[in-house]
Structures are given as structure tokens and as C-alpha cells.
Amino acid sequence: MAAPNLLDLSRASQAAGSTPDPAAGLARRALYFLILQRECEDRIERKLYRQGKILGGVYVGRGQEAIGIGAGLAVEADDVLFPSHRDLGLLLVRGVTPAEVFAQYMGRAGGLTRGRDGNMHMGDMKRRIVAIISSIGASIPVAAGAALALQYRGSRNIVLNIFGDGATSRGDFHEGVNFAAVQKLPIVFVCNNNQYAYSTPIEKQMAVAHVADRAGAYGVPAEMVDGNDLFAVHEAVGRAAVRARAGAGPTLIECKTFRMTGHSAHDSGAYVPDEMWAEWEQRDPIARLERQGIECGWLKPEEIRAVRSRVRAEVDAAVAGAEACPYPDASELLDGVYAES
């Protein structure tokens, strides 16, 4: 049986005058992370990168924050995460701090790679986050391998693997999803279909109408959701996680969204029709959740303003801390590269 819809439960609870509201806590927690991701990435892309303080490229998730955050809040703390390059919110949900993020982007010793890399190639095995692979599709068979290891060990944990629509046009997608299906691996595949693989629109990538249509070839159940709806993402991933934990194998979830910026900080996105920018701006996941929160009585406008103020202060402090953080010592260059014999 399908899991109950949190928004429906919320309205029923509100009508009955009962407490606590089952959706209110999720809305408040998610809104904080949505605003935090947006503020961190705006500071990285629109300020620090332009000031020449960022080492390497910048690829942000503006407009699709609800996917990583909705999914991250639906899985357990010991589940293994394979984020894509636009899923900073997933890392923040798992406990990565803004200070670590800014130190990472500035190539400082306090970053997750301790200054070995200056951008989004970051993970933390202690937090069970596997760093992204630049060819995003290449993470899919690796994630399947991690799920096989969990299955082999008899763990109840699962793998959450997020990637873009472009990754589904690579051979890695076929290999990883097919292997996961045959082995009934405990993994949830989430595609953030943001309409463009760099500058290639979705209709020029594939002949089928939806990424989810591809799942049937592997015998994998699929679901399509509005990727800008935090609750829709959270509930779909929650259902798929329950299925994976029960030994029923993988699920593919296609989240329809839009990248409200160019592919990277150096890309203007001039290939995107003007009307698409305007259309998707109206579907901004942060504004949407704020409207829902006020409509359902979870949030007051002054509470939203307080969250935004808190986030700006946290980000200001994190940037200052990262700028004061030293660069890595050259004598440590080979540390962690070779295993000790």
C-alpha cells in the first residue's frame, strides 16, 4: 500500500485540530537546508568565484535543491550516499558544515579533501558520502557495487545514488541499473532531470518521452515526480527505500526539474529559451515550500525571515573561517595517497 501523503495528512490534522502536524517538522527542517544550499551556492558562484577566490569549476543546483534535500531527509543516517555535482544539500543534510564546504572550494586544509581538490569533488567516508566522479554516469555502477557489499554483509542499509538526465544516456547507466536489477540490490536511483545535459536538451538525448521509461527494460519499477516539490521527492524516495530494505531491489525515480542557471559558473545558459527561465522561476522549490508552509499554518512570514537571517549569518561566518584557514602543507602532499605496507 502506498505511503500516506504528508500534505493530505497535514490538512486532515489541521481540520481536526489535532497535533502534532506530521508535515510541519519536515517542512521546517527542509526549508532551512533549502535556504542554506541556495545561500552557500550563491556565495560561491556569484561572489567568491567572480572574486577569483575559488579554485576550479563551480556547478550549482539552483532550482533543484528539493531533490537532494528531500531524498536525504528520507533515508537513514547510515545509508550510503552517492551525490551528483548539484547535490550540496544532500551533504549538508548528512552533516557537512558550510565551513567545510567553503574551505573545500578555496582549496584550504579545512576542506573535505584537505586541499587536494578545489571544488565539488568531495565526500566523507565517515559520513558515508562517496565523492562524485566527474563523468557523472560512472557513479552508477560504483553505487551498485556499494549496494552489493551491503547486501553481502547482510546490512539493512541502502544506497542512494543521484545523477542527471545526461548520465542516463551513457553505458554506465545500463550496466549499473541492469546489474542492480538482476542482483536485487538495495539501491534507490534518483535522476534529477533538469532538461539539459550541459547544453543538450532532453529531446535530443533520447527518443522516449521520460527517463523513467527506460526502467522497464531492466525490470525495475519507476516513478516520476515533480522535482520541485519537496514532499513529492521525500515520499517517493521513502517508498523506494522501504522497498530496497525489504530485499525487493532497486527503484528508479525521475524528478522533473530545471537548472535555474548555466551548466557552470562560466556558462551563461544562452541556449535556454527565455520563456523557460520565466516558467521555472515561478516553480522555485524554496518559494513553493514557503507558500505551502504559510498556507498550512506550519510557518509564519517572520519565521521564514528569521531562517534567512540565521543562514546568512552562518554563511558569513563560514566564509570568514575558510578565508582564515591555511592552505595544505606541501610536506603532506602524499599523505593518504599510498597505503602503508
Side-chain angles (χ1 to χ4, degrees):
M1 186 172 70
N5 182 284
L6 284 176
L7 281 176
D8 291 341
L9 284 175
S10 171
R11 291 181 177 117
S13 172
Q14 191 175 39
S18 59
T19 54
D21 188 322
L26 174 61
R28 291 192 183 96
R29 190 174 180 209
L31 183 63
Y32 165 74
F33 285 116
L34 288 168
I35 293 172
L36 183 60
Q37 178 177 352
R38 179 74 60 86
E39 182 67 26
C40 284
E41 292 188 333
D42 279 0
R43 200 73 62 96
I44 289 166
E45 180 189 32
R46 300 182 177 187
K47 294 184 175 63
L48 298 171
Y49 178 81
R50 311 296 172 187
Q51 294 167 353
K53 296 179 179 179
I54 297 296
L55 304 177
V58 170
Y59 306 82
V60 302
R62 182 180 176 84
Q64 55 190 71
E65 296 95 341
I67 298 171
I69 291 167
L73 292 172
V75 299
E76 297 180 2
D78 287 335
D79 290 336
V80 182
L81 308 180
F82 280 76
S84 79
H85 54 314
R86 304 194 193 279
D87 299 318
L88 176 61
L90 184 60
L91 277 67
L92 296 170
V93 166
R94 185 50 68 89
V96 175
T97 67
E100 290 174 304
V101 170
F102 288 110
Q104 172 73 20
Y105 272 91
M106 294 185 197
R108 308 304 174 98
L112 293 179
T113 62
R114 304 191 309 283
R116 269 68 173 176
D117 189 286
N119 56 24
M120 75 290 176
H121 296 104
M122 53 180 160
D124 186 348
M125 296 305 289
K126 291 179 181 176
R127 292 172 170 128
R128 298 173 81 84
I129 304 169
V130 180
I132 76 158
I133 303 170
S134 285
S135 299
I136 301 300
S139 74
I140 299 170
V142 179
L148 179 65
L150 292 174
Q151 183 188 73
Y152 181 78
R153 294 172 181 171
S155 170
R156 69 176 303 279
N157 290 119
I158 66 168
V159 170
L160 172 67
N161 180 204
I162 307 183
F163 44 84
D165 49 283
T168 72
S169 296
R170 290 172 50 95
D172 321 74
F173 175 81
H174 164 81
E175 294 171 7
V177 176
N178 185 64
F179 183 73
V182 171
Q183 300 296 331
K184 291 192 179 301
L185 298 181
I187 185 168
V188 178
F189 295 114
V190 176
C191 173
N192 56 47
N193 179 0
N194 62 21
Q195 314 302 312
Y196 284 87
Y198 200 135
S199 57
T200 304
I202 190 73
E203 64 271 14
K204 293 188 177 179
Q205 288 184 55
M206 59 188 198
V208 293
H210 309 285
V211 169
D213 295 339
R214 293 178 158 175
Y218 310 104
V220 171
E223 185 172 353
M224 286 187 296
V225 300
D226 182 344
N228 287 23
D229 183 340
L230 184 284
F231 288 98
V233 175
H234 183 269
E235 290 161 10
V237 173
R239 287 190 291 271
V242 168
R243 185 173 180 276
R245 271 185 238 286
T251 303
L252 173 64
I253 301 170
E254 178 185 359
C255 297
K256 303 280 193 179
T257 187
F258 181 69
R259 189 188 70 208
M260 288 166 48
T261 186
H263 172 70
S264 60
H266 62 269
D267 171 33
S268 69
Y271 44 83
V272 179
D274 290 343
E275 58 271 20
M276 285 191 72
W277 297 112
E279 174 192 350
W280 285 92
E281 186 71 34
Q282 298 302 311
R283 299 165 68 176
D284 185 311
I286 299 178
R288 181 174 186 163
L289 185 58
E290 289 175 342
R291 288 194 300 269
Q292 288 177 332
I294 292 171
E295 174 194 338
C296 294
W298 308 323
L299 296 165
K300 295 184 174 67
E302 57 269 26
E303 291 177 311
I304 295 172
R305 289 193 293 270
V307 172
R308 290 185 176 278
S309 178
R310 170 191 168 189
V311 166
R312 281 194 297 272
E314 289 179 2
V315 171
D316 285 344
V319 171
E323 290 185 317
C325 187
Y327 287 102
D329 191 312
S331 67
E332 301 173 355
L333 182 63
L334 297 182
D335 290 358
V337 176
Y338 299 104
E340 298 292 334
S341 60

